[in-house]
Amino acid sequence: MVSLRFSAGLRPLARAAVLAAGLLCAGLSVPALAQAVDPLPSWNAGATKTGILDFVKATTTPGGPDFVPPADRIATFDQDGTLWVEQPVYTEVAFAAARVRAMAQANPDLKTEEPFRTAISGDEKAREEALGKLSSADFMKIIMLTLESLTVEEFRAAVQDWMATARNPVLNRPHTDLVYQPMREVLELLRANGFRTYIVTGGGQDFVRAYSEKLYGIPPEQVVGTPDSVRFGYDASGRPVLRLEPAVLFEDVFGGKPEGIHLVIGKRPIAAFGNSTGDRQMLEYTKAGKGLRFAALVLHDDGKREFAYGPAQGLPYSEVGTFTQKLYDEAKARGWSVISMKDDWKKVFAFEP
Amino acid sequence: MVSLRFSAGLRPLARAAVLAAGLLCAGLSVPALAQAVDPLPSWNAGATKTGILDFVKATTTPGGPDFVPPADRIATFDQDGTLWVEQPVYTEVAFAAARVRAMAQANPDLKTEEPFRTAISGDEKAREEALGKLSSADFMKIIMLTLESLTVEEFRAAVQDWMATARNPVLNRPHTDLVYQPMREVLELLRANGFRTYIVTGGGQDFVRAYSEKLYGIPPEQVVGTPDSVRFGYDASGRPVLRLEPAVLFEDVFGGKPEGIHLVIGKRPIAAFGNSTGDRQMLEYTKAGKGLRFAALVLHDDGKREFAYGPAQGLPYSEVGTFTQKLYDEAKARGWSVISMKDDWKKVFAFEP
């Protein structure tokens, strides 16, 4: 930060320039210098949008009663269903299923053994819809099969290769197009105001890190996920390597989310966004801290532009990904925002006209 | 960062001010603006000091062959014996022993059962010297006994309370005075040059986080340690809390250090500092990355100002904390710097005249 001592001897214009540069540097400038520009253009006017803007203003106004120092401006975001599409199946499961299909060429037994059979059979759309109805335990079996013995660099490259061409077979778009544009704007608004944005996902930590910087502007060290077990060792040439093992250190869902946040960040977030029962404890933990806090759930109620599922919508989903009526009621009782995709979002995806 | 577009229309002085502010903001300014000031005043001139300064210059010179973008400027530091004193016993064991003594008032059986008896009996100096000779397994038993059922906030407060008055009984100084001043200067030099400095310690992650910001300027999210198991739950009033459990998720020593680095940071460091066999794999992993890397071991060869132990020094220590002759030979063979406390450090502690 620019010290007062440093700028005190300068002429007024220079002082103003230093001040502006300092504001830019602290990430305080986008709203300060450009109040006329709407930082959330893909959001419709309404209580949710106002709630987000008011929270950011209150926590970043120096001297205000709700001011939070930059070091403590931590915001956490679930990924699947909160930052990008999770239907008809989690993208990570689609990736793992593709690897199972490749493995089945050398190991045909996989073609008859469930849940691997589901990962192999049928056309793409039917297969992903069938995969989407499996249990979390089956997801884990498919994912674990594909982790064994790759180095962390090999795994990252495999994810990036696959992601370069893989598509969502229902929306018929590359997965990389299926980030919710309004949520990307929230990430950018928060970062422009000195927040650090973290992904806190039930998904594999190494999987999400492979593309988080590119898709969300979130670097690997700000991805808290279900951590694959990695083992230090040496390769044939004696070079030290980290290899993935078919196990996880813990599951970063439900109570595991606050536990993962404590492990990697060691601070309680002041804002958290989710969309399912798997995020409930993270939102509770966030809101239970002292001072002003913000919590929100994305409600998937837009069957035209995306998918409609959740309370009173039908389309049951895996036990983790459920937005139940009970969760909806808790949100209302605790003052969490419920983001209606249908009503709150002017645009869902960046590619929309 | 200050954009060129923003500063282009300003008068020269203002432009210079913006540029200087921008440099300050990027942490690039301390060497740039004050080349005449020695950033490592507690170091004697010599190959080690030159090696550190050359590495920082090479990795931060834009356009140079060894330039590393700020996002990848990750430096990791072991704590005990690398950043502060680890004799006669790890400070964390001294803290846990103090808690065992308090617990023994309600549970007198602890006074006869080893290793707890050692944590309780004798005067302070004899006790800490006896504790220092225990095995890692015994350290763990003593530490685990004291974790149970505290919330993470209660534990943090307990560490901070103890640290406010606890002293090293051999050096007769508060633990907080026993940070190596030359290493603090290295931390500050790196941060002033856009590095992020992480502690990667075999010590308890929650223990070290309680004071890392104050002692080293390192925030909780940049402490990778042996993570205590924490469990999400609700207290009697229904408030969500995280409680410590008497278990660890993994041990952050030996191969566990690269594994912990991958878990929390997800990037390979470009510089690493340690002092024992417990740091070997971290240094190997760091040096095995592409591009210019720096690795160093602190050699405790100054029995007058601190403690002399390690190769050919006698004073055996726990199996984790050993600087063996074999490690010394590996350091020399691999081009790791060996920091001689006796020869390289003008000052060991800030309180020295």
Side-chain angles (χ1 to χ4, degrees):
Chain A
M1 183 40 68
V2 183
S3 75
L4 284 176
R5 192 158 55 83
F6 173 75
S7 60
L10 300 175
R11 280 179 243 159
L13 177 58
R15 267 213 302 281
V18 169
L19 184 65
L23 285 171
L24 268 172
C25 160
L28 293 168
S29 65
V30 176
L33 294 183
Q35 284 172 334
V37 176
D38 180 355
L40 299 176
S42 300
W43 290 71
N44 288 316
T48 314
K49 179 174 182 172
T50 306
I52 295 168
L53 293 171
D54 287 352
F55 171 77
V56 172
K57 192 173 178 193
T59 51
T60 58
T61 301
D66 299 313
F67 178 76
V68 175
D72 294 326
R73 291 182 202 158
I74 306 285
T76 57
F77 293 79
D78 169 59
Q79 182 194 226
D80 294 299
T82 299
L83 292 179
W84 76 350
V85 170
E86 63 177 352
Q87 292 281 0
V89 67
Y90 296 133
T91 306
E92 184 181 13
V93 177
F95 163 75
R99 291 185 67 79
V100 169
R101 285 196 296 286
M103 292 166 86
Q105 298 183 348
N107 181 6
D109 286 354
L110 292 171
K111 292 179 187 166
T112 52
E113 187 187 342
E114 286 295 3
F116 311 115
R117 199 184 67 84
T118 303
I120 293 167
S121 40
D123 74 1
E124 190 180 17
K125 186 157 171 284
R127 187 172 60 226
E128 293 212 3
E129 284 173 343
L131 280 168
K133 293 188 181 110
L134 295 178
S135 68
S136 293
D138 281 339
F139 290 167
M140 205 54 99
K141 279 184 202 159
I142 292 170
I143 292 168
M144 289 302 104
L145 189 72
T146 64
L147 290 180
E148 199 153 13
S149 89
L150 292 182
T151 67
V152 295
E153 290 85 3
E154 288 165 352
F155 181 78
R156 188 167 297 192
V159 175
Q160 289 170 343
D161 284 353
W162 179 82
M163 198 70 87
T165 60
R167 298 172 76 85
N168 182 307
V170 178
L171 300 179
N172 199 25
R173 281 273 175 182
H175 293 292
T176 50
D177 277 4
L178 298 177
V179 173
Y180 304 134
Q181 180 60 18
M183 293 307 290
R184 200 181 253 146
E185 291 167 4
V186 172
L187 290 170
E188 286 166 2
L189 170 69
L190 289 170
R191 291 195 292 255
N193 282 279
F195 279 74
R196 269 168 300 161
T197 53
Y198 283 79
I199 291 174
V200 179
T201 173
Q205 185 167 288
D206 285 294
F207 180 78
V208 179
R209 281 173 168 174
Y211 55 80
S212 61
E213 180 96 53
K214 191 173 164 191
L215 256 62
Y216 309 115
I218 293 178
E221 63 268 31
Q222 285 168 220
V223 175
V224 185
T226 293
D228 309 313
S229 177
V230 297
R231 186 68 58 194
F232 178 85
Y234 301 89
D235 69 12
S237 68
R239 195 167 166 275
V241 289
L242 292 173
R243 281 189 195 286
L244 294 164
E245 296 188 317
V248 299
L249 214 51
F250 62 91
E251 289 193 57
D252 194 56
V253 289
F254 304 114
K257 288 207 174 192
E259 294 163 10
I261 288 168
H262 183 71
L263 174 68
V264 176
I265 316 176
K267 288 174 177 171
R268 196 189 292 248
I270 66 167
F273 295 77
N275 79 306
S276 83
T277 51
D279 305 312
R280 184 167 71 90
Q281 290 85 346
M282 174 169 77
L283 270 60
E284 291 176 348
Y285 179 66
T286 299
K287 284 285 278 187
K290 283 185 196 129
L292 191 64
R293 307 274 163 152
F294 188 83
L297 287 166
V298 175
L299 180 67
H300 292 260
D301 57 359
D302 190 331
K304 281 191 187 150
R305 296 184 294 178
E306 204 236 12
F307 296 91
Y309 54 106
Q313 298 286 346
L315 191 56
Y317 202 54
S318 83
E319 65 270 37
V320 175
T322 309
F323 193 149
T324 59
Q325 187 62 46
K326 192 177 161 207
L327 182 65
Y328 188 87
D329 295 343
E330 178 173 355
K332 291 294 173 190
R334 292 187 188 270
W336 304 348
S337 292
V338 174
I339 300 167
S340 162
M341 291 179 71
K342 184 160 55 74
D343 298 332
D344 285 321
W345 289 358
K346 200 177 290 178
K347 225 184 216 195
V348 175
F349 302 113
F351 58 76
E352 290 167 20
Chain B
M1 181 43 67
V2 182
S3 74
L4 285 176
R5 191 160 55 85
F6 174 74
S7 61
L10 298 175
R11 279 179 242 157
L13 175 60
R15 267 214 303 282
V18 169
L19 184 64
L23 285 171
L24 267 172
C25 160
L28 294 168
S29 64
V30 176
L33 294 183
Q35 284 173 332
V37 176
D38 180 355
L40 299 177
S42 300
W43 290 72
N44 288 316
T48 315
K49 179 174 182 171
T50 306
I52 295 168
L53 292 171
D54 287 352
F55 171 78
V56 172
K57 192 174 177 189
T59 52
T60 58
T61 301
D66 299 312
F67 179 76
V68 175
D72 294 326
R73 293 183 201 158
I74 306 285
T76 56
F77 293 79
D78 169 59
Q79 183 195 222
D80 295 299
T82 300
L83 292 178
W84 74 349
V85 170
E86 63 177 351
Q87 294 278 1
V89 68
Y90 296 134
T91 306
E92 184 182 13
V93 177
F95 162 75
R99 292 186 65 82
V100 169
R101 287 195 294 285
M103 293 167 86
Q105 298 182 346
N107 180 5
D109 286 352
L110 293 172
K111 292 179 186 167
T112 53
E113 187 187 342
E114 285 295 2
F116 310 115
R117 199 184 67 87
T118 303
I120 294 168
S121 38
D123 74 2
E124 190 180 17
K125 186 158 170 285
R127 187 171 60 225
E128 294 213 1
E129 285 174 343
L131 281 168
K133 295 189 181 108
L134 295 179
S135 68
S136 294
D138 280 340
F139 288 167
M140 205 56 101
K141 279 184 201 161
I142 291 171
I143 290 168
M144 288 303 103
L145 188 74
T146 64
L147 290 180
E148 199 153 14
S149 89
L150 292 181
T151 68
V152 295
E153 290 86 2
E154 287 165 351
F155 181 78
R156 190 166 294 194
V159 174
Q160 291 170 341
D161 283 354
W162 180 82
M163 198 70 86
T165 60
R167 299 171 76 85
N168 181 306
V170 177
L171 299 178
N172 199 26
R173 281 276 176 179
H175 294 291
T176 51
D177 278 4
L178 298 178
V179 173
Y180 304 134
Q181 179 62 17
M183 294 306 291
R184 199 183 256 144
E185 290 167 5
V186 172
L187 291 169
E188 286 167 2
L189 169 69
L190 290 169
R191 292 195 292 254
N193 282 279
F195 279 74
R196 270 166 300 158
T197 54
Y198 284 79
I199 291 173
V200 179
T201 173
Q205 185 167 288
D206 284 296
F207 180 79
V208 178
R209 280 173 168 174
Y211 57 79
S212 61
E213 180 97 54
K214 192 173 164 192
L215 256 62
Y216 308 116
I218 293 178
E221 62 271 30
Q222 287 170 217
V223 175
V224 184
T226 294
D228 309 312
S229 176
V230 299
R231 187 66 60 190
F232 178 85
Y234 301 90
D235 68 12
S237 68
R239 197 169 165 272
V241 289
L242 291 173
R243 281 190 196 286
L244 294 165
E245 295 188 318
V248 299
L249 215 50
F250 62 91
E251 289 194 56
D252 194 57
V253 289
F254 304 115
K257 288 206 172 191
E259 295 163 10
I261 287 168
H262 182 72
L263 174 68
V264 176
I265 315 176
K267 289 175 176 170
R268 195 189 290 249
I270 65 167
F273 295 76
N275 79 306
S276 84
T277 51
D279 304 312
R280 183 167 73 88
Q281 290 84 346
M282 173 169 78
L283 269 59
E284 290 175 350
Y285 179 66
T286 299
K287 284 286 277 186
K290 282 183 195 130
L292 191 66
R293 308 274 162 150
F294 188 84
L297 288 165
V298 175
L299 180 67
H300 292 261
D301 58 359
D302 191 331
K304 281 191 185 152
R305 295 184 297 180
E306 206 237 9
F307 295 91
Y309 55 105
Q313 297 287 345
L315 191 57
Y317 203 55
S318 85
E319 65 269 40
V320 175
T322 308
F323 194 149
T324 59
Q325 185 63 44
K326 191 178 161 206
L327 182 65
Y328 187 89
D329 295 342
E330 179 174 355
K332 291 295 173 188
R334 292 187 188 271
W336 303 349
S337 292
V338 174
I339 299 168
S340 161
M341 292 179 69
K342 184 159 58 75
D343 298 331
D344 286 319
W345 289 359
K346 201 177 288 177
K347 227 184 212 194
V348 176
F349 302 113
F351 59 74
E352 290 168 22

